[in-house]
Amino acid sequence: MVHRDPSAPAQLRRVSQPRALYLLSAVELLERAAGIAMLAVFPLYLRDHHGIEASAALFIAGAFWGVSYLMSLPGGWVADRVVGAERTMLGGLGALAVGYAGLALDCGGARWWLALGMLTVGHGLFKPALTTLIGRLYRPDDRRRTSGFMIFYFAVNVGAVLGPLAAQWTRNRWSWPALFAGAASLSLAAILLLVGGGQRLLTLGIERAEEGPVVPLKSSTEQERVRALLLLSAVSVVFWLAIQQTGSSLVLFAAEHTTREFIVAGFSFTLRPEHFTAFHGGMVLLLLPLLTWHAERRRVSGVEVSAVDRMVHGFVLLSAAFALLGFAGLQGGDAGRIGPLWLVVGYVLMTPGEVWLSAFGLSLVTRLAPPRMTARLTGLWFAAVAVGHWLGGALGLLWSRWPHHRCFAVVAVLTLSAAVVLLHRRERLEAIIGSRSVLSDS
């Protein structure tokens, strides 16, 4: 039985979030629905529509998403030093709309590459600006910050569920160009949501958070925080390498090495790769509230788990998921087909790790980053995403050369090694971050 600490303030159990958070979450939902719709089928699009060999398609997909996230570094600089986060976010959405529209025209050659280039610029401008704006809705000592990011991450995964399902339906009913036209429409809808009165709500939320005196950080404190973020970003490269497989090797594994026909109560169902991607997002939607509730119960009862320990647990679960998939390859998935339950259980194991490492990671970045460097350090976090995607794409080059279980085993070993690194630096990191759970935001 869990005993609630009677001294715990009531507002920790029921707090109201800034209304601007829900606006930004809705914008992110639309952007992610478009982005994940493309991510879920991009290797198949390259292979089936452009005739690119499977390993090369995995590499191109990883490189594309890697460049998209790497553009967050200049995007963060633009948001911090040039035009501000709000205009940077709008510019990013505009570039995304143009890029998707270019792919919808189904042109080849230079125009096709130009469309992909616009998408990388759009992601690079949009991501750090949006994350920075959410962080600016809260004062440094605001206990609502991490729960706010959990709400935001919930919206991300609503988009992650809807995007693949819409992609599968659109490309089967119409065509590849129709899929990208739909993605362009979602990006335009996000722009209209912001321009049609949303900017005033956002500005009001930020102004309220900035009321009162701001205590500048000491130089030594800034340096310690930056060093902690550098280490966390470096370790997160391995996490993103693993998660990138959900949009690359696991898409092909589901398409080519998983039994997709099954019968329940006399009804026959056909699973497609997009269904597995949507299941992954659905598992996040299911477990995110449960994990948040459980963490809050443990915090109130005084037996909470630290932020670093959560990250360690996340890496261990990711390692277990890919070890399981490696075993599935040995059981017949390398050359033949295995049952869908292998992938289902693999995604279930990945989900807590993704929540702890991604959602909590974004909260930590905005909480630890010095205010004058928030967008740039957020860009650094997304640059780690870029490196992870690149390495994930490079691993894809071995997909056709190695037995699949070996590719999964490499990911399992890397994620377990990341857990060891965090354990080694645990005490120092917790001294900077704070030994109490990140959910307390204190």
Side-chain angles (χ1 to χ4, degrees), residues 230-256:
L230 285 172
L231 176 59
L232 292 174
S233 296
V235 173
S236 72
V237 167
V238 177
F239 163 69
W240 293 112
L241 179 153
I243 291 300
Q244 196 268 347
Q245 303 309 308
T246 63
S248 57
S249 63
L250 294 182
V251 173
L252 294 182
F253 196 72
E256 300 171 351

Side-chain angles (χ1 to χ4, degrees), residues 376-402:
R376 278 169 286 175
L377 288 173
T378 302
L380 176 67
W381 175 264
F382 286 120
V385 181
V387 176
H389 277 284
W390 272 340
L391 293 176
L395 182 63
L397 289 175
L398 302 172
W399 183 253
S400 300
R401 303 177 187 178
W402 282 4

Side-chain angles (χ1 to χ4, degrees), residues 1-6 8 13 290-305 310:
M1 177 180 293
V2 176
H3 298 282
R4 185 177 297 276
D5 183 355
R13 296 190 289 273
L290 295 177
L291 290 172
T292 305
W293 172 83
H294 182 257
E296 173 68 5
R297 288 291 299 271
R298 290 177 66 89
R299 186 194 62 76
V300 171
S301 64
V303 290
E304 62 197 302
V305 179
R310 290 185 192 282

Side-chain angles (χ1 to χ4, degrees), residues 31 36 58 82 101 114 127 134 169 190 197 214 225 237 259 285 288 310 344 351 371 373 377 396:
E31 186 277 329
I36 298 296
L58 292 179
V82 183
L114 180 60
K127 292 181 182 299
I134 293 177
W169 182 78
V214 177
R225 290 187 176 190
V237 167
T259 302
L285 293 182
L288 184 57
R310 290 185 192 282
V344 169
T351 302
M373 303 171 63
L377 288 173

Side-chain angles (χ1 to χ4, degrees), residues 162-429:
L162 297 179
L165 296 178
Q168 186 271 325
W169 182 78
T170 302
R171 75 182 182 94
N172 285 342
R173 185 175 179 85
W174 286 296
S175 61
W176 289 105
L179 186 156
F180 296 117
S185 299
L186 289 173
S187 300
L188 289 173
I191 293 174
L192 293 175
L193 184 61
L194 283 171
V195 174
Q199 282 183 301
R200 181 180 177 184
L201 179 64
L202 178 58
T203 302
L204 180 62
I206 293 172
E207 287 176 349
R208 287 177 176 173
E210 292 176 347
E211 290 176 355
V214 177
V215 180
L217 295 174
K218 295 181 180 179
S219 176
S220 58
T221 303
E222 277 198 1
Q223 292 174 4
E224 285 187 340
R225 290 187 176 190
V226 171
R227 282 196 293 268
L229 289 174
L230 285 172
L231 176 59
L232 292 174
S233 296
V235 173
S236 72
V237 167
V238 177
F239 163 69
W240 293 112
L241 179 153
I243 291 300
Q244 196 268 347
Q245 303 309 308
T246 63
S248 57
S249 63
L250 294 182
V251 173
L252 294 182
F253 196 72
E256 300 171 351
H257 298 283
T258 302
T259 302
R260 294 185 285 121
E261 301 285 342
F262 69 103
I263 299 175
V264 177
F267 294 94
S268 178
F269 297 91
T270 300
L271 289 173
R272 299 184 181 275
E274 298 93 331
H275 293 146
F276 288 100
T277 307
F279 174 79
H280 178 214
M283 284 303 304
V284 174
L285 293 182
L286 176 64
L287 291 183
L288 184 57
L290 295 177
L291 290 172
T292 305
W293 172 83
H294 182 257
E296 173 68 5
R297 288 291 299 271
R298 290 177 66 89
R299 186 194 62 76
V300 171
S301 64
V303 290
E304 62 197 302
V305 179
S306 73
V308 178
D309 283 343
R310 290 185 192 282
M311 292 180 180
V312 171
H313 296 163
F315 275 119
V316 170
L317 286 172
L318 279 173
S319 181
F322 282 96
L324 176 72
L325 292 171
F327 187 68
L330 291 173
Q331 292 298 108
D334 282 347
R337 290 184 181 269
I338 57 169
L341 191 60
W342 291 97
L343 267 178
V344 169
V345 176
Y347 278 126
V348 170
L349 288 173
M350 289 180 204
T351 302
E354 180 175 351
V355 172
W356 289 330
L357 290 161
S358 185
F360 289 172
L362 280 175
S363 176
L364 275 176
V365 169
T366 62
R367 185 162 67 102
L368 291 178
R372 63 187 180 86
M373 303 171 63
T374 301
R376 278 169 286 175
L377 288 173
T378 302
L380 176 67
W381 175 264
F382 286 120
V385 181
V387 176
H389 277 284
W390 272 340
L391 293 176
L395 182 63
L397 289 175
L398 302 172
W399 183 253
S400 300
R401 303 177 187 178
W402 282 4
H404 301 328
H405 76 269
R406 188 179 300 174
C407 293
F408 293 139
V410 167
V411 180
V413 170
L414 288 174
T415 47
L416 190 60
S417 299
V420 173
V421 170
L422 280 177
L423 279 174
H424 178 67
R425 300 291 296 171
R426 176 175 176 245
E427 290 186 8
R428 184 59 186 159
L429 281 172

